[in-house]
Amino acid sequence: MKPVSAIRYDGQSSASQSVQLTFFPDSTVEVKGEGLSVIYRLEEISIPSQVGSIHARIQFPDDSLCEVRDPRALYDALPDTFKTGLLGHVHRWESSLKYALFAVVIAAAIIWGGVEFVLPSAAKQVAENIPLEWETAMGEQTLASLEKTNLLTPTELPQQRQEALLKKFNEALRKAGATPLPRIEFRNSEALDANAIALPSGILVFTDAMVEFAKDDRELIGILGHELGHIKHRHSMRHVLQSSTLALFIIMITGDVGSAGTLATAMPLILAEAKFSRQFEAEADTFSVGFMKKLDLDTRYLSSILQRLGKKYGDSGTTGYLDSHPSTRDRVKSLAGG
Amino acid sequence: MEDNTVSANESNLLEKEIPLEFTGKASEYFGIWIVNVLLTIITLGIYAPWAKVRNKRYFYGNTLLENSPFDFIANPVTILKGYLLALGFYVLFSVSSNFYPLSGFFFLFLFLVIFPWIVVRSMSFRLANTTYRNIRFHFERDYGESYKIFLGIGLLIPLTLGFIFPYYHYRQMKFVADKSSFGTSRFGFDTKVANFYIIYVIVWGVFVGIGVVTAIVMGVIFAKNPEMAALMQGPAEGQEIDPEQQKAFFTFIAIIYAVFAVLYIGVFAYMQAALNNLLWNNLSIAKQRFRSTLTTPMMLWLYMTNSICIILSFGLLIPWARIRMMRYRVSCLTVLSEGDLDGFIAGEKSKLSAAGEEIGEVFGLDIGI
């Protein structure tokens, strides 16, 4: 029954008083100081779970409070049944180097597994259960805003060429059993140059430069298969789901004290988004291989145009962590393998 | 002569310097932080409010003024309710703005309208749960004033092309400080708007200067190396790219980015230091004043080294970075007190446990002070 030193504040003013706390076997505690001696029952007092080695806080029913600078001494003096409140499991876990290192490993494993497997497959499940028609407004408004900002301007391809291509595309799509037929649009774009994009709700946009860049229309069928892959695998919806969930998690984990700097918190999101994008591109390439096989087309048509596009835009040959697409070499390799 | 000496001595006798002390340790905080992260992930975020309370208690409890610690006494369940409300808003916002991009404007408008309310709520919750020597801080819930400043003056910012912003910032800081109290003693914030304009004019000047210098440097470099200007435009049709030249070009771009990053963090560090000093050096309560001596070079050094170390350690040095920053901030703060700190009286009990705490700290927003 060694007394524990504490500092008492009566809750009325900021003046302090040194006191001694004595814990008795009958579950009572005496607070004793100059001109003060009060006895409380232990079930009346509350002690929040210990954090690090900061002061222990004992709150009494009369709004007075005792701060104990040596939480260890308080822990030793408390009867066994009241100890768990003070030094809970969490505190014990936090204080052990061994457990902390264990926590690092587990947290890293969960984050890796979550970003690599759980999040993508959960997003896939959800996306596949959302009807494509729900994206209609999203697709229309995205196209409209791309046009409004002049990223896409009206096509300058001759009417004849457009019709011939559309006919070829639709024939291929029907033959491969890709119904309902996606909406295919031709647009001119200085910013995107030779490119094709799949917008939400299944709007496919081929740029004029892309159509002109192809040496053979069968190459464009390969590109069509790739973009169709984005639609069939619901990549725009999955992208939205994955990014917003991940952003929420990063805010939740880092948001408590915002001193880490914005770059450090934005970095993981940027890396993860690039990774998701590469996964989608690879998936779309695989889809295109199947699409071309159904049409009895050689996948080399797709490889060939991808290689030339890579050369034109100075592809580095290796896939980096920040790249939105796998490197052309990796893509061509997996096209040949598939 | 003699008169001067006497008055100097007098003021020394009247005003005592009480430095604040920070006793947190990175190694100890690391354990708390990593367990917080792990439990937050495993519980899909439900633990986040408990993590927040433990985190704050660690920092408050290690901040000592005249050997007495601060404390954070919030109930995590109350914070959880606020988080769930914010989560609902976030989900509603992401879903509808993705399916109907134009609805984003509606949410932006809605957020603007409720923002002043959120500020008051957050401040009130945060201060009511912050204690020192068993006395609570308090924030007066003056919604009218909050709407006047955040919505009223806020809407004038685009109309005045941003020139009213320093005044807006001044009113914000004054609002937050003037409505705060410790026990029955009100805080007061007394400074001239001009001091805010000085800080912002310097920041604006630096940005304009950076723009002018960059334009000149780019102009000189491109004039001397025409092929670089060509690379900037992108390759012409059929033109092959020389890998050597491309490498030089990317190195050049990387250097430009690095210079900009340092300048940007430098401006940010200056604003942090200057605005923090401005706040504390003009804040008073009862017979106490404060002195804050943050410096821009030290803040810049801390921000840069912290960011680099956090990235290189894959986030594992976040606890170290936070402790380091807090230690510096606290070490720069001194209380100038006439007499001791025993004279503060607790506010009325009914005021402290004021109703409506159920919504807690909506959005977990950390503003100002």
Side-chain angles (χ1 to χ4, degrees):
Chain A
M1 276 192 290
K2 215 175 112 208
V4 179
S5 307
I7 295 165
R8 179 178 182 270
Y9 300 100
D10 61 7
Q12 310 300 316
S13 86
S14 57
S16 60
Q17 184 182 17
S18 291
V19 292
Q20 300 287 321
L21 307 176
T22 317
F23 292 90
F24 294 106
D26 62 345
S27 289
T28 54
V29 56
E30 186 193 26
V31 181
K32 197 170 180 173
E34 219 185 288
L36 176 89
S37 172
V38 199
I39 291 186
Y40 301 94
R41 279 178 292 119
L42 282 184
E43 55 264 30
E44 294 177 317
I45 69 173
S46 85
I47 307 173
S49 155
Q50 184 64 27
V51 179
S53 55
I54 67 166
H55 65 277
R57 181 176 89 212
I58 312 176
Q59 271 166 331
F60 295 98
D62 56 6
D63 280 332
S64 68
L65 171 145
C66 281
E67 283 171 4
V68 181
R69 291 305 153 76
D70 183 3
R72 273 272 139 210
L74 177 64
Y75 179 72
D76 291 340
L78 272 174
D80 285 343
T81 41
F82 286 90
K83 278 183 181 173
T84 44
L86 174 66
L87 288 171
H89 295 290
V90 174
H91 173 60
R92 219 170 306 145
W93 193 5
E94 288 168 345
S95 317
S96 153
L97 179 69
K98 205 167 66 186
Y99 283 135
L101 290 177
F102 178 66
V104 172
V105 175
I106 300 283
I110 292 177
I111 291 170
W112 177 76
V115 173
E116 188 78 26
F117 306 109
V118 182
L119 187 56
S121 74
K124 196 174 168 190
Q125 285 287 323
V126 174
E128 278 166 1
N129 283 305
I130 298 174
L132 193 60
E133 296 81 63
W134 287 23
E135 291 178 16
T136 309
M138 194 186 348
E140 295 287 349
Q141 286 175 19
T142 313
L143 184 62
S145 73
L146 287 173
E147 282 170 341
K148 210 181 288 166
T149 50
N150 276 333
L151 273 172
L152 297 178
T153 49
T155 179
E156 283 158 21
L157 292 173
Q159 188 70 28
Q160 224 177 340
R161 175 84 176 114
Q162 288 182 44
E163 278 165 15
L165 257 183
L166 266 184
K167 207 172 145 228
K168 265 191 190 168
F169 282 171
N170 284 335
E171 261 170 30
L173 288 166
R174 263 190 219 103
K175 201 171 155 197
T179 46
L181 293 180
R183 180 176 141 196
I184 297 167
E185 298 279 340
F186 296 104
R187 290 285 186 285
N188 190 26
S189 173
E190 271 185 34
L192 295 175
D193 207 30
N195 215 328
I197 46 177
L199 298 179
S201 79
I203 303 171
L204 294 185
V205 180
F206 281 78
T207 64
D208 292 2
M210 183 60 140
V211 172
E212 282 153 9
F213 186 74
K215 287 183 178 156
D216 189 313
D217 285 352
R218 281 170 287 195
E219 291 180 349
L220 290 176
I221 302 280
I223 301 283
L224 175 69
H226 174 93
E227 300 305 327
L228 192 65
H230 282 315
I231 296 173
K232 291 291 171 192
H233 286 302
R234 304 299 300 275
H235 285 161
S236 50
M237 182 51 69
R238 279 160 66 186
H239 174 81
V240 164
L241 291 171
Q242 291 180 6
S243 305
S244 49
T245 313
L246 193 65
L248 188 65
F249 255 86
I250 291 175
I251 292 168
M252 223 150 57
I253 292 170
T254 61
D256 41 6
V257 177
S259 62
T262 40
L263 181 64
T265 46
M267 203 69 169
L269 192 62
I270 293 169
L271 287 174
E273 289 220 358
K275 179 164 176 55
F276 293 151
S277 173
R278 289 196 303 272
Q279 279 175 340
F280 291 161
E281 294 305 326
E283 229 176 62
D285 279 349
T286 312
F287 184 90
S288 188
V289 170
F291 179 76
M292 293 176 87
K293 280 207 174 127
K294 275 190 211 159
L295 301 170
D296 291 322
L297 282 177
D298 197 323
T299 53
R300 269 178 297 182
Y301 286 113
L302 181 57
S303 311
S304 162
I305 191 165
L306 286 180
Q307 268 168 333
R308 292 199 328 273
L309 282 168
K311 206 169 167 197
K312 181 174 158 102
Y313 296 107
D315 184 84
S316 65
T318 48
T319 308
Y321 288 110
L322 286 167
D323 292 340
S324 67
H325 288 60
S327 74
T328 310
R329 195 191 292 162
D330 292 346
R331 291 178 77 178
V332 169
K333 214 193 289 175
S334 63
L335 283 177
Chain B
M1 266 314 264
E2 257 173 28
D3 276 1
N4 279 345
T5 332
V6 169
S7 68
N9 275 345
E10 238 172 30
S11 80
N12 276 345
L13 279 173
L14 285 173
E15 211 165 61
K16 190 167 64 161
E17 290 197 7
I18 313 171
L20 272 102
E21 227 186 309
F22 183 67
T23 54
K25 286 184 285 293
S27 56
E28 188 179 54
Y29 178 55
F30 180 81
I32 295 165
W33 174 79
I34 189 70
V35 172
N36 276 347
V37 168
L38 182 60
L39 290 179
T40 303
I41 296 171
I42 289 179
T43 59
L44 294 175
I46 294 168
Y47 187 75
W50 279 263
K52 187 186 178 100
V53 170
R54 293 187 76 73
N55 201 53
K56 284 215 159 190
R57 281 205 71 204
Y58 187 77
F59 279 91
Y60 285 21
N62 277 306
T63 305
L64 307 179
L65 177 59
E66 222 172 34
N67 222 12
S68 295
F70 289 80
D71 210 337
F72 188 65
I73 58 168
N75 180 2
V77 177
T78 315
I79 299 178
L80 182 64
K81 285 174 187 160
Y83 277 6
L84 290 176
L85 195 78
L87 177 73
F89 190 82
Y90 179 80
V91 169
L92 209 66
F93 166 74
S94 339
V95 169
S96 69
S97 66
N98 275 303
F99 285 119
Y100 302 98
L102 291 178
S103 73
F105 291 108
F106 167 74
F107 276 95
L108 188 69
F109 176 73
L110 187 67
F111 186 74
L112 273 178
V113 170
I114 62 171
F115 182 73
W117 181 82
I118 293 173
V119 172
V120 173
R121 275 289 156 155
S122 297
M123 283 309 300
S124 159
F125 183 78
R126 195 137 59 97
L127 289 190
N129 287 297
T130 302
T131 65
Y132 174 70
R133 296 188 172 193
N134 202 16
I135 300 211
R136 291 187 188 213
F137 287 81
H138 175 74
F139 187 79
E140 189 195 324
R141 292 182 183 171
D142 190 341
Y143 294 107
E145 185 73 2
S146 183
Y147 272 95
K148 204 166 99 189
I149 294 167
F150 288 96
L151 204 60
I153 303 177
L155 284 177
L156 293 177
I157 296 170
L159 294 179
T160 56
L161 300 172
F163 283 105
I164 206 174
F165 196 84
Y167 175 70
Y168 173 65
H169 202 157
Y170 160 75
R171 288 295 300 266
Q172 267 182 26
M173 213 180 249
K174 191 164 171 55
F175 171 66
V176 168
D178 283 352
K179 302 292 167 189
S180 299
S181 49
F182 175 59
T184 49
S185 310
R186 265 313 244 277
F187 279 93
F189 180 63
D190 190 23
T191 190
K192 291 196 184 76
V193 199
N195 290 325
F196 281 80
Y197 272 92
I198 291 170
I199 295 173
Y200 276 94
V201 164
I202 290 172
V203 170
W204 290 335
V206 169
F207 276 122
V208 170
I210 292 172
V212 171
V213 170
T214 319
I216 293 171
V217 169
M218 294 283 255
V220 169
I221 287 176
F222 285 153
K224 286 195 174 161
N225 310 282
E227 62 276 13
M228 269 209 176
L231 268 174
M232 200 77 177
Q233 308 286 329
E237 198 62 44
Q239 184 199 340
E240 290 289 325
I241 300 162
D242 175 8
E244 272 301 306
Q245 238 182 49
Q246 202 184 10
K247 213 171 150 191
F249 178 69
F250 281 123
T251 320
F252 172 68
I253 294 288
I255 291 169
I256 298 252
Y257 269 112
V259 170
F260 269 104
V262 173
L263 280 172
Y264 176 78
I265 301 177
V267 170
F268 184 70
Y270 166 72
M271 282 189 74
Q272 286 286 317
L275 288 168
N276 253 292
N277 288 344
L278 188 59
L279 168 66
W280 288 107
N281 290 334
N282 295 290
L283 193 68
S284 63
I285 179 167
K287 291 183 169 172
Q288 279 73 31
R289 296 186 298 126
F290 303 86
R291 188 175 63 216
S292 172
T293 54
L294 296 173
T295 66
T296 307
M298 196 59 198
M299 289 294 267
L300 174 63
W301 167 251
L302 286 174
Y303 277 128
M304 278 190 16
T305 46
N306 278 354
S307 299
I308 292 167
C309 290
I310 287 171
I311 291 168
L312 292 182
S313 67
F314 297 102
L316 288 179
L317 285 178
I318 289 175
W320 169 80
R322 285 182 185 165
I323 294 282
R324 216 171 148 230
M325 185 52 95
M326 186 69 175
R327 184 177 301 137
Y328 176 64
R329 281 174 170 271
V330 170
S331 75
C332 287
L333 198 58
T334 308
V335 176
L336 307 172
S337 172
E338 287 180 34
D340 56 23
L341 301 176
D342 285 353
F344 290 98
I345 310 293
E348 283 168 55
K349 181 73 184 149
S350 61
K351 219 194 249 170
L352 301 181
S353 52
E357 231 188 33
E358 66 280 359
I359 299 173
E361 196 175 19
V362 194
F363 293 88
L365 219 67
D366 277 348
I367 322 148
I369 272 185

